[in-house]
Short mmCIF file of all heavy atoms in Angstrom, two decimals:
data_model
loop_
_atom_site.label_atom_id
_atom_site.label_comp_id
_atom_site.label_asym_id
_atom_site.label_seq_id
_atom_site.Cartn_x
_atom_site.Cartn_y
_atom_site.Cartn_z
N GLU A 163 213.31 233.58 124.30
CA GLU A 163 211.87 233.66 123.98
C GLU A 163 211.52 234.88 123.16
O GLU A 163 212.21 235.87 123.28
CB GLU A 163 211.02 233.68 125.23
CG GLU A 163 210.98 232.41 126.02
CD GLU A 163 210.26 232.57 127.33
OE1 GLU A 163 210.39 233.60 127.98
OE2 GLU A 163 209.50 231.58 127.68
N MET A 164 210.48 234.76 122.39
CA MET A 164 209.88 235.92 121.70
C MET A 164 208.36 235.90 121.97
O MET A 164 207.74 234.85 122.17
CB MET A 164 210.18 235.92 120.22
CG MET A 164 209.55 234.77 119.43
SD MET A 164 209.86 234.92 117.66
CE MET A 164 208.81 236.36 117.22
N LEU A 165 207.82 237.11 122.12
CA LEU A 165 206.41 237.26 122.27
C LEU A 165 205.70 237.03 120.92
O LEU A 165 206.19 237.53 119.91
CB LEU A 165 206.08 238.68 122.72
CG LEU A 165 204.60 239.03 123.07
CD1 LEU A 165 204.18 238.32 124.36
CD2 LEU A 165 204.44 240.50 123.19
N THR A 166 204.74 236.16 120.87
CA THR A 166 204.05 235.91 119.62
C THR A 166 202.64 236.52 119.66
O THR A 166 202.17 237.06 118.65
CB THR A 166 204.06 234.40 119.30
OG1 THR A 166 203.54 233.73 120.42
CG2 THR A 166 205.35 233.91 118.94
N TRP A 167 201.89 236.29 120.73
CA TRP A 167 200.53 236.76 120.83
C TRP A 167 200.20 237.33 122.15
O TRP A 167 200.77 236.94 123.15
CB TRP A 167 199.51 235.59 120.55
CG TRP A 167 199.63 235.05 119.13
CD1 TRP A 167 200.40 234.07 118.68
CD2 TRP A 167 198.89 235.58 117.98
NE1 TRP A 167 200.18 233.89 117.37
CE2 TRP A 167 199.30 234.78 116.91
CE3 TRP A 167 197.96 236.54 117.80
CZ2 TRP A 167 198.84 235.04 115.63
CZ3 TRP A 167 197.46 236.83 116.52
CH2 TRP A 167 197.90 236.08 115.42
N ILE A 168 199.35 238.29 122.19
CA ILE A 168 198.73 238.84 123.38
C ILE A 168 197.31 238.44 123.41
O ILE A 168 196.59 238.80 122.47
CB ILE A 168 198.87 240.38 123.44
CG1 ILE A 168 200.33 240.78 123.42
CG2 ILE A 168 198.22 240.91 124.78
CD1 ILE A 168 200.55 242.28 123.11
N VAL A 169 196.88 237.63 124.36
CA VAL A 169 195.52 237.08 124.33
C VAL A 169 194.74 237.69 125.49
O VAL A 169 195.12 237.64 126.65
CB VAL A 169 195.51 235.55 124.47
CG1 VAL A 169 194.13 235.01 124.45
CG2 VAL A 169 196.31 234.90 123.31
N ILE A 170 193.61 238.30 125.10
CA ILE A 170 192.80 238.89 126.15
C ILE A 170 191.53 237.98 126.36
O ILE A 170 190.78 237.72 125.43
CB ILE A 170 192.33 240.27 125.72
CG1 ILE A 170 193.60 241.14 125.61
CG2 ILE A 170 191.33 240.89 126.74
CD1 ILE A 170 193.36 242.52 125.06
N PRO A 171 191.47 237.42 127.57
CA PRO A 171 190.36 236.44 127.78
C PRO A 171 189.02 237.10 127.65
O PRO A 171 188.89 238.32 127.76
CB PRO A 171 190.61 236.04 129.25
CG PRO A 171 191.51 237.05 129.83
CD PRO A 171 192.24 237.73 128.76
N SER A 172 188.04 236.29 127.45
CA SER A 172 186.69 236.81 127.14
C SER A 172 186.28 237.93 128.08
O SER A 172 186.10 237.71 129.29
CB SER A 172 185.65 235.69 127.24
OG SER A 172 184.39 236.23 126.98
N PRO A 173 186.24 239.14 127.58
CA PRO A 173 185.99 240.26 128.48
C PRO A 173 184.54 240.69 128.51
O PRO A 173 184.23 241.86 128.75
CB PRO A 173 186.83 241.35 127.79
CG PRO A 173 186.73 241.07 126.36
CD PRO A 173 186.40 239.58 126.20
N ALA A 174 183.65 239.75 128.18
CA ALA A 174 182.26 240.14 128.14
C ALA A 174 181.83 240.75 129.44
O ALA A 174 180.87 241.45 129.59
CB ALA A 174 181.38 238.96 127.80
N GLN A 175 182.62 240.45 130.51
CA GLN A 175 182.32 240.98 131.81
C GLN A 175 182.47 242.49 131.98
O GLN A 175 181.77 243.13 132.74
CB GLN A 175 183.19 240.27 132.86
CG GLN A 175 184.63 240.28 132.44
CD GLN A 175 185.60 239.77 133.48
OE1 GLN A 175 186.67 239.25 133.12
NE2 GLN A 175 185.25 239.76 134.71
N TRP A 176 183.42 243.10 131.20
CA TRP A 176 183.76 244.50 131.46
C TRP A 176 182.74 245.37 130.76
O TRP A 176 182.67 245.50 129.56
CB TRP A 176 185.15 244.84 130.90
CG TRP A 176 186.23 244.04 131.43
CD1 TRP A 176 187.15 243.32 130.68
CD2 TRP A 176 186.61 243.79 132.84
NE1 TRP A 176 188.04 242.66 131.55
CE2 TRP A 176 187.70 242.87 132.79
CE3 TRP A 176 186.07 244.15 134.04
CZ2 TRP A 176 188.28 242.47 134.00
CZ3 TRP A 176 186.67 243.75 135.22
CH2 TRP A 176 187.81 242.91 135.21
N VAL A 177 181.83 245.92 131.59
CA VAL A 177 180.75 246.63 130.94
C VAL A 177 181.04 248.15 130.79
O VAL A 177 180.35 248.85 130.06
CB VAL A 177 179.41 246.46 131.71
CG1 VAL A 177 178.98 244.97 131.55
CG2 VAL A 177 179.55 246.80 133.19
N ARG A 178 182.02 248.66 131.54
CA ARG A 178 182.34 250.05 131.47
C ARG A 178 183.86 250.20 131.40
O ARG A 178 184.59 249.43 132.05
CB ARG A 178 181.78 250.83 132.58
CG ARG A 178 180.22 250.87 132.58
CD ARG A 178 179.72 252.00 133.51
NE ARG A 178 178.31 252.17 133.30
CZ ARG A 178 177.76 252.86 132.29
NH1 ARG A 178 178.52 253.47 131.45
NH2 ARG A 178 176.44 252.99 132.27
N THR A 179 184.31 251.17 130.66
CA THR A 179 185.77 251.33 130.50
C THR A 179 186.12 252.82 130.47
O THR A 179 185.34 253.64 129.98
CB THR A 179 186.14 250.74 129.08
OG1 THR A 179 185.64 249.44 128.95
CG2 THR A 179 187.70 250.75 128.92
N ALA A 180 187.24 253.15 131.03
CA ALA A 180 187.71 254.49 130.84
C ALA A 180 189.25 254.48 130.87
O ALA A 180 189.86 253.59 131.48
CB ALA A 180 187.17 255.42 131.95
N TYR A 181 189.82 255.49 130.25
CA TYR A 181 191.32 255.53 130.13
C TYR A 181 191.75 256.99 130.24
O TYR A 181 191.07 257.90 129.71
CB TYR A 181 191.78 254.93 128.81
CG TYR A 181 193.27 254.94 128.69
CD1 TYR A 181 194.07 254.02 129.41
CD2 TYR A 181 193.87 255.79 127.77
CE1 TYR A 181 195.46 254.05 129.27
CE2 TYR A 181 195.26 255.77 127.67
CZ TYR A 181 196.04 254.93 128.42
OH TYR A 181 197.39 254.86 128.26
N PHE A 182 192.80 257.21 130.91
CA PHE A 182 193.36 258.56 130.93
C PHE A 182 194.89 258.50 130.89
O PHE A 182 195.57 257.68 131.56
CB PHE A 182 192.95 259.33 132.23
CG PHE A 182 193.42 260.76 132.27
CD1 PHE A 182 192.84 261.71 131.49
CD2 PHE A 182 194.52 261.13 132.99
CE1 PHE A 182 193.21 262.99 131.42
CE2 PHE A 182 194.92 262.45 132.99
CZ PHE A 182 194.30 263.40 132.18
N LYS A 183 195.44 259.43 130.10
CA LYS A 183 196.89 259.45 129.94
C LYS A 183 197.35 260.88 130.34
O LYS A 183 197.01 261.84 129.68
CB LYS A 183 197.25 259.24 128.45
CG LYS A 183 198.67 259.44 128.10
CD LYS A 183 198.78 259.20 126.53
CE LYS A 183 200.12 259.56 126.02
NZ LYS A 183 200.19 259.42 124.55
N GLN A 184 198.08 260.97 131.46
CA GLN A 184 198.64 262.24 131.88
C GLN A 184 199.91 262.53 131.13
O GLN A 184 200.80 261.68 131.13
CB GLN A 184 198.91 262.21 133.42
CG GLN A 184 199.60 263.39 134.00
CD GLN A 184 198.79 264.67 134.01
OE1 GLN A 184 197.61 264.56 133.67
NE2 GLN A 184 199.32 265.74 134.40
N LYS A 185 199.94 263.67 130.48
CA LYS A 185 201.15 264.02 129.68
C LYS A 185 201.36 265.50 129.67
O LYS A 185 200.51 266.28 129.97
CB LYS A 185 200.99 263.44 128.26
CG LYS A 185 199.62 263.92 127.66
CD LYS A 185 199.30 263.20 126.37
CE LYS A 185 197.94 263.63 125.86
NZ LYS A 185 197.64 263.02 124.58
N HIS A 186 202.55 265.94 129.19
CA HIS A 186 202.88 267.39 129.16
C HIS A 186 202.07 268.10 128.08
O HIS A 186 201.72 269.20 128.25
CB HIS A 186 204.33 267.58 128.88
CG HIS A 186 205.23 267.24 130.02
ND1 HIS A 186 205.03 267.72 131.30
CD2 HIS A 186 206.33 266.45 130.11
CE1 HIS A 186 205.96 267.23 132.08
NE2 HIS A 186 206.76 266.48 131.42
N SER A 187 201.97 267.45 126.95
CA SER A 187 201.33 268.10 125.78
C SER A 187 200.79 266.98 124.93
O SER A 187 200.95 265.82 125.22
CB SER A 187 202.40 268.90 125.03
OG SER A 187 203.39 267.97 124.55
N THR A 188 200.11 267.45 123.86
CA THR A 188 199.44 266.44 122.98
C THR A 188 200.39 265.33 122.58
O THR A 188 200.01 264.21 122.48
CB THR A 188 198.87 267.15 121.74
OG1 THR A 188 198.10 268.22 122.19
CG2 THR A 188 198.05 266.19 120.89
N SER A 189 201.58 265.68 122.23
CA SER A 189 202.49 264.75 121.68
C SER A 189 203.57 264.16 122.61
O SER A 189 204.57 263.59 122.20
CB SER A 189 203.21 265.31 120.48
OG SER A 189 202.33 265.47 119.43
N SER A 190 203.38 264.34 123.95
CA SER A 190 204.37 263.79 124.81
C SER A 190 204.05 262.35 125.21
O SER A 190 202.90 261.90 125.10
CB SER A 190 204.51 264.66 126.02
OG SER A 190 203.90 264.08 127.19
N TRP A 191 205.02 261.65 125.70
CA TRP A 191 204.81 260.29 126.19
C TRP A 191 204.09 260.36 127.52
O TRP A 191 204.03 261.41 128.18
CB TRP A 191 206.20 259.65 126.41
CG TRP A 191 206.80 259.23 125.09
CD1 TRP A 191 206.35 259.55 123.83
CD2 TRP A 191 207.93 258.44 124.92
NE1 TRP A 191 207.21 259.00 122.92
CE2 TRP A 191 208.19 258.33 123.53
CE3 TRP A 191 208.86 257.80 125.80
CZ2 TRP A 191 209.28 257.58 123.05
CZ3 TRP A 191 209.94 257.10 125.27
CH2 TRP A 191 210.13 256.97 123.95
N PRO A 192 203.52 259.28 127.93
CA PRO A 192 202.69 259.32 129.20
C PRO A 192 203.60 259.45 130.45
O PRO A 192 204.65 258.88 130.52
CB PRO A 192 201.97 257.95 129.16
CG PRO A 192 202.83 257.09 128.33
CD PRO A 192 203.51 257.93 127.29
N ILE A 193 203.05 260.21 131.39
CA ILE A 193 203.66 260.29 132.69
C ILE A 193 203.02 259.36 133.65
O ILE A 193 203.58 258.60 134.42
CB ILE A 193 203.62 261.73 133.21
CG1 ILE A 193 204.43 262.64 132.25
CG2 ILE A 193 204.17 261.85 134.64
CD1 ILE A 193 204.19 264.13 132.44
N VAL A 194 201.66 259.36 133.61
CA VAL A 194 200.85 258.46 134.36
C VAL A 194 199.71 257.95 133.44
O VAL A 194 199.13 258.77 132.70
CB VAL A 194 200.24 259.12 135.63
CG1 VAL A 194 199.25 258.13 136.29
CG2 VAL A 194 201.32 259.57 136.56
N THR A 195 199.41 256.63 133.50
CA THR A 195 198.22 256.15 132.74
C THR A 195 197.32 255.50 133.73
O THR A 195 197.71 254.85 134.63
CB THR A 195 198.62 255.15 131.61
OG1 THR A 195 199.07 253.91 132.29
CG2 THR A 195 199.68 255.65 130.74
N ILE A 196 196.07 255.73 133.46
CA ILE A 196 195.01 255.11 134.31
C ILE A 196 194.06 254.35 133.45
O ILE A 196 193.40 254.89 132.62
CB ILE A 196 194.18 256.20 135.12
CG1 ILE A 196 195.02 257.25 135.71
CG2 ILE A 196 193.23 255.54 136.12
CD1 ILE A 196 195.68 256.92 137.00
N SER A 197 194.00 253.04 133.66
CA SER A 197 193.06 252.18 132.93
C SER A 197 192.03 251.66 133.89
O SER A 197 192.43 251.08 134.92
CB SER A 197 193.83 250.99 132.29
OG SER A 197 194.95 251.39 131.54
N VAL A 198 190.76 251.79 133.55
CA VAL A 198 189.71 251.39 134.49
C VAL A 198 188.75 250.50 133.67
O VAL A 198 188.30 250.87 132.62
CB VAL A 198 188.91 252.59 135.05
CG1 VAL A 198 187.78 252.09 135.93
CG2 VAL A 198 189.84 253.50 135.78
N VAL A 199 188.47 249.33 134.19
CA VAL A 199 187.44 248.41 133.64
C VAL A 199 186.49 248.06 134.81
O VAL A 199 186.94 247.89 135.94
CB VAL A 199 188.06 247.16 132.97
CG1 VAL A 199 188.72 247.55 131.64
CG2 VAL A 199 189.01 246.46 133.90
N VAL A 200 185.20 247.99 134.46
CA VAL A 200 184.22 247.69 135.54
C VAL A 200 183.27 246.60 135.02
O VAL A 200 182.85 246.57 133.91
CB VAL A 200 183.33 248.97 135.70
CG1 VAL A 200 182.31 248.77 136.85
CG2 VAL A 200 184.19 250.22 135.97
N ASP A 201 183.03 245.60 135.88
CA ASP A 201 182.03 244.66 135.54
C ASP A 201 180.86 244.80 136.57
O ASP A 201 180.70 245.86 137.20
CB ASP A 201 182.55 243.24 135.44
CG ASP A 201 182.96 242.68 136.82
OD1 ASP A 201 182.76 243.32 137.88
OD2 ASP A 201 183.64 241.59 136.85
N ASP A 202 180.03 243.74 136.74
CA ASP A 202 178.94 243.92 137.63
C ASP A 202 179.26 243.81 139.11
O ASP A 202 178.44 244.05 139.97
CB ASP A 202 177.76 243.00 137.27
CG ASP A 202 178.22 241.58 137.29
OD1 ASP A 202 179.49 241.33 137.36
OD2 ASP A 202 177.38 240.65 137.13
N LYS A 203 180.55 243.47 139.41
CA LYS A 203 180.89 243.23 140.77
C LYS A 203 182.07 244.16 141.25
O LYS A 203 182.13 244.49 142.46
CB LYS A 203 181.32 241.77 140.99
CG LYS A 203 180.20 240.78 140.90
CD LYS A 203 180.65 239.46 141.48
CE LYS A 203 179.58 238.38 141.21
NZ LYS A 203 179.35 238.18 139.77
N ILE A 204 183.02 244.40 140.35
CA ILE A 204 184.22 245.12 140.77
C ILE A 204 184.57 246.23 139.88
O ILE A 204 184.23 246.27 138.71
CB ILE A 204 185.46 244.19 140.95
CG1 ILE A 204 185.76 243.53 139.56
CG2 ILE A 204 185.23 243.16 142.03
CD1 ILE A 204 187.19 243.02 139.51
N VAL A 205 185.39 247.16 140.44
CA VAL A 205 186.09 248.15 139.64
C VAL A 205 187.56 247.73 139.63
O VAL A 205 188.15 247.55 140.69
CB VAL A 205 186.01 249.58 140.25
CG1 VAL A 205 186.85 250.56 139.49
CG2 VAL A 205 184.53 249.98 140.26
N ARG A 206 188.13 247.52 138.49
CA ARG A 206 189.55 247.15 138.42
C ARG A 206 190.29 248.30 137.77
O ARG A 206 189.96 248.72 136.68
CB ARG A 206 189.69 245.85 137.62
CG ARG A 206 191.10 245.39 137.34
CD ARG A 206 191.08 244.03 136.66
NE ARG A 206 192.47 243.68 136.16
CZ ARG A 206 193.33 243.04 136.90
NH1 ARG A 206 193.06 242.73 138.13
NH2 ARG A 206 194.49 242.69 136.37
N LEU A 207 191.31 248.84 138.42
CA LEU A 207 192.05 249.88 137.83
C LEU A 207 193.53 249.63 137.94
O LEU A 207 194.04 249.04 138.91
CB LEU A 207 191.67 251.24 138.44
CG LEU A 207 192.42 251.79 139.68
CD1 LEU A 207 193.36 252.92 139.24
CD2 LEU A 207 191.44 252.34 140.67
N VAL A 208 194.25 250.08 136.89
CA VAL A 208 195.67 249.85 136.85
C VAL A 208 196.36 251.24 136.56
O VAL A 208 195.98 251.97 135.63
CB VAL A 208 196.11 248.88 135.75
CG1 VAL A 208 197.63 248.62 135.77
CG2 VAL A 208 195.40 247.55 135.99
N VAL A 209 197.34 251.57 137.34
CA VAL A 209 198.05 252.81 137.22
C VAL A 209 199.45 252.48 136.62
O VAL A 209 200.21 251.76 137.20
CB VAL A 209 198.27 253.52 138.59
CG1 VAL A 209 199.09 254.82 138.42
CG2 VAL A 209 196.91 253.87 139.19
N GLY A 210 199.64 253.03 135.44
CA GLY A 210 200.97 252.76 134.78
C GLY A 210 201.79 254.09 134.85
O GLY A 210 201.24 255.17 134.99
N GLY A 211 203.08 253.92 134.78
CA GLY A 211 203.94 255.07 134.62
C GLY A 211 204.34 255.73 135.93
O GLY A 211 205.37 256.41 136.02
N ALA A 212 203.53 255.60 136.96
CA ALA A 212 203.81 256.32 138.23
C ALA A 212 204.91 255.63 139.08
O ALA A 212 205.64 256.32 139.75
CB ALA A 212 202.52 256.46 139.05
N ALA A 213 204.88 254.32 139.04
CA ALA A 213 205.82 253.55 139.84
C ALA A 213 206.68 252.67 138.97
O ALA A 213 206.46 252.61 137.74
CB ALA A 213 205.05 252.69 140.87
N THR A 214 207.63 251.95 139.59
CA THR A 214 208.55 251.12 138.75
C THR A 214 207.78 249.92 138.17
O THR A 214 208.24 249.32 137.22
CB THR A 214 209.64 250.63 139.63
OG1 THR A 214 209.11 250.06 140.83
CG2 THR A 214 210.58 251.81 139.98
N ARG A 215 206.65 249.57 138.84
CA ARG A 215 205.79 248.50 138.30
C ARG A 215 204.35 249.08 138.31
O ARG A 215 204.00 249.89 139.18
CB ARG A 215 205.85 247.26 139.15
CG ARG A 215 207.15 246.59 139.21
CD ARG A 215 207.02 245.20 139.88
NE ARG A 215 206.18 244.29 139.09
CZ ARG A 215 205.75 243.13 139.52
NH1 ARG A 215 206.07 242.73 140.72
NH2 ARG A 215 204.99 242.38 138.79
N PRO A 216 203.47 248.64 137.39
CA PRO A 216 202.13 249.12 137.44
C PRO A 216 201.44 248.74 138.72
O PRO A 216 201.78 247.74 139.32
CB PRO A 216 201.46 248.40 136.24
CG PRO A 216 202.59 248.06 135.29
CD PRO A 216 203.78 247.82 136.22
N ILE A 217 200.51 249.62 139.17
CA ILE A 217 199.81 249.40 140.46
C ILE A 217 198.38 248.93 140.10
O ILE A 217 197.69 249.56 139.40
CB ILE A 217 199.72 250.68 141.16
CG1 ILE A 217 201.12 251.18 141.46
CG2 ILE A 217 198.96 250.51 142.53
CD1 ILE A 217 201.10 252.63 141.98
N VAL A 218 197.97 247.75 140.66
CA VAL A 218 196.68 247.20 140.42
C VAL A 218 195.84 247.37 141.62
O VAL A 218 196.24 247.07 142.76
CB VAL A 218 196.79 245.70 140.10
CG1 VAL A 218 195.41 245.08 139.75
CG2 VAL A 218 197.79 245.42 138.94
N VAL A 219 194.57 247.88 141.40
CA VAL A 219 193.65 248.08 142.52
C VAL A 219 192.31 247.47 142.10
O VAL A 219 191.84 247.70 140.99
CB VAL A 219 193.40 249.58 142.80
CG1 VAL A 219 192.35 249.82 143.81
CG2 VAL A 219 194.71 250.20 143.32
N GLU A 220 191.74 246.64 142.99
CA GLU A 220 190.30 246.20 142.72
C GLU A 220 189.47 246.57 143.86
O GLU A 220 189.87 246.38 145.01
CB GLU A 220 190.35 244.63 142.53
CG GLU A 220 190.83 244.24 141.15
CD GLU A 220 190.50 242.79 140.83
OE1 GLU A 220 190.11 242.02 141.72
OE2 GLU A 220 190.72 242.45 139.66
N LEU A 221 188.30 247.10 143.58
CA LEU A 221 187.35 247.57 144.61
C LEU A 221 186.04 246.94 144.35
O LEU A 221 185.56 246.90 143.19
CB LEU A 221 187.24 249.07 144.58
CG LEU A 221 188.49 249.88 144.81
CD1 LEU A 221 188.25 251.31 144.37
CD2 LEU A 221 188.94 249.79 146.22
N PRO A 222 185.34 246.51 145.37
CA PRO A 222 184.02 245.97 145.18
C PRO A 222 183.06 247.08 144.78
O PRO A 222 183.13 248.25 145.28
CB PRO A 222 183.59 245.42 146.51
CG PRO A 222 184.54 245.98 147.49
CD PRO A 222 185.74 246.43 146.76
N LEU A 223 182.21 246.78 143.84
CA LEU A 223 181.24 247.77 143.30
C LEU A 223 180.05 247.81 144.24
O LEU A 223 179.02 247.25 143.91
CB LEU A 223 180.85 247.38 141.85
CG LEU A 223 180.08 248.39 141.00
CD1 LEU A 223 180.92 249.65 140.89
CD2 LEU A 223 179.83 247.82 139.63
N ALA A 224 180.16 248.42 145.36
CA ALA A 224 179.01 248.44 146.33
C ALA A 224 178.39 249.77 146.30
O ALA A 224 179.05 250.82 146.38
CB ALA A 224 179.62 248.15 147.73
N GLY A 225 177.13 249.77 146.28
CA GLY A 225 176.38 251.04 146.36
C GLY A 225 176.50 251.81 145.01
O GLY A 225 177.23 251.44 144.09
N ASN A 226 175.81 252.93 144.95
CA ASN A 226 175.81 253.66 143.71
C ASN A 226 176.41 255.03 143.93
O ASN A 226 175.80 256.10 143.70
CB ASN A 226 174.34 253.85 143.23
CG ASN A 226 174.30 254.30 141.76
OD1 ASN A 226 175.31 254.33 141.08
ND2 ASN A 226 173.18 254.79 141.31
N ASP A 227 177.71 255.01 144.44
CA ASP A 227 178.34 256.26 144.79
C ASP A 227 179.71 256.37 144.12
O ASP A 227 180.73 256.00 144.76
CB ASP A 227 178.45 256.35 146.33
CG ASP A 227 178.87 257.73 146.84
OD1 ASP A 227 179.26 258.50 146.02
OD2 ASP A 227 178.85 257.90 148.04
N PRO A 228 179.73 256.84 142.87
CA PRO A 228 180.99 256.88 142.17
C PRO A 228 182.04 257.73 142.92
O PRO A 228 183.21 257.36 142.98
CB PRO A 228 180.63 257.56 140.83
CG PRO A 228 179.20 257.28 140.65
CD PRO A 228 178.63 257.19 142.02
N ALA A 229 181.61 258.80 143.56
CA ALA A 229 182.64 259.67 144.26
C ALA A 229 183.29 258.90 145.34
O ALA A 229 184.55 259.00 145.58
CB ALA A 229 181.95 260.95 144.78
N ARG A 230 182.51 258.10 146.09
CA ARG A 230 183.17 257.37 147.21
C ARG A 230 184.09 256.37 146.69
O ARG A 230 185.20 256.13 147.21
CB ARG A 230 182.01 256.71 148.06
CG ARG A 230 182.57 256.16 149.40
CD ARG A 230 181.42 255.59 150.26
NE ARG A 230 180.71 254.57 149.57
CZ ARG A 230 181.13 253.26 149.44
NH1 ARG A 230 182.32 252.95 149.93
NH2 ARG A 230 180.43 252.38 148.80
N LEU A 231 183.72 255.65 145.61
CA LEU A 231 184.63 254.68 144.99
C LEU A 231 185.90 255.35 144.49
O LEU A 231 187.00 254.84 144.59
CB LEU A 231 183.97 253.97 143.82
CG LEU A 231 183.11 252.73 144.27
CD1 LEU A 231 182.20 252.28 143.17
CD2 LEU A 231 184.00 251.66 144.76
N GLY A 232 185.73 256.58 143.91
CA GLY A 232 186.84 257.32 143.47
C GLY A 232 187.82 257.58 144.61
O GLY A 232 189.05 257.50 144.46
N ARG A 233 187.30 257.97 145.76
CA ARG A 233 188.12 258.29 146.95
C ARG A 233 188.87 257.04 147.37
O ARG A 233 190.07 257.10 147.74
CB ARG A 233 187.31 258.88 148.07
CG ARG A 233 187.00 260.38 147.85
CD ARG A 233 186.48 260.99 149.15
NE ARG A 233 185.18 260.34 149.59
CZ ARG A 233 183.99 260.73 149.13
NH1 ARG A 233 183.87 261.67 148.23
NH2 ARG A 233 182.91 260.10 149.59
N SER A 234 188.10 255.90 147.41
CA SER A 234 188.75 254.62 147.82
C SER A 234 189.89 254.27 146.87
O SER A 234 190.97 253.83 147.30
CB SER A 234 187.82 253.51 147.82
OG SER A 234 186.70 253.76 148.64
N ALA A 235 189.64 254.51 145.60
CA ALA A 235 190.66 254.23 144.59
C ALA A 235 191.92 255.09 144.79
O ALA A 235 193.05 254.60 144.78
CB ALA A 235 190.10 254.45 143.18
N SER A 236 191.65 256.38 145.09
CA SER A 236 192.70 257.26 145.31
C SER A 236 193.57 256.83 146.48
O SER A 236 194.82 256.88 146.43
CB SER A 236 192.09 258.69 145.50
OG SER A 236 193.09 259.55 146.05
N GLU A 237 192.96 256.41 147.57
CA GLU A 237 193.69 255.98 148.75
C GLU A 237 194.49 254.71 148.48
O GLU A 237 195.65 254.60 148.87
CB GLU A 237 192.76 255.70 149.94
CG GLU A 237 192.24 256.93 150.60
CD GLU A 237 190.94 256.74 151.37
OE1 GLU A 237 190.65 255.55 151.69
OE2 GLU A 237 190.23 257.72 151.62
#
Side-chain angles (χ1 to χ4, degrees):
Chain A
E163 287 174 322
M164 63 178 290
L165 183 72
T166 51
W167 292 91
I168 300 167
V169 180
I170 296 173
S172 176
Q175 48 175 156
W176 305 124
V177 294
R178 293 196 172 278
T179 309
Y181 182 72
F182 185 75
K183 171 183 173 182
Q184 172 70 4
K185 53 191 177 178
H186 285 309
S187 63
T188 308
S189 288
S190 103
W191 286 8
I193 296 166
V194 174
T195 69
I196 313 280
S197 306
V198 179
V199 288
V200 184
D201 69 8
D202 56 349
K203 292 195 188 57
I204 59 161
V205 175
R206 177 176 169 86
L207 89 107
V208 182
V209 178
T214 52
R215 296 190 65 188
I217 301 166
V218 183
V219 172
E220 282 194 351
L221 301 166
L223 192 58
N226 192 14
D227 191 348
R230 192 176 58 77
L231 275 166
R233 283 193 297 275
S234 303
S236 168
E237 283 160 19

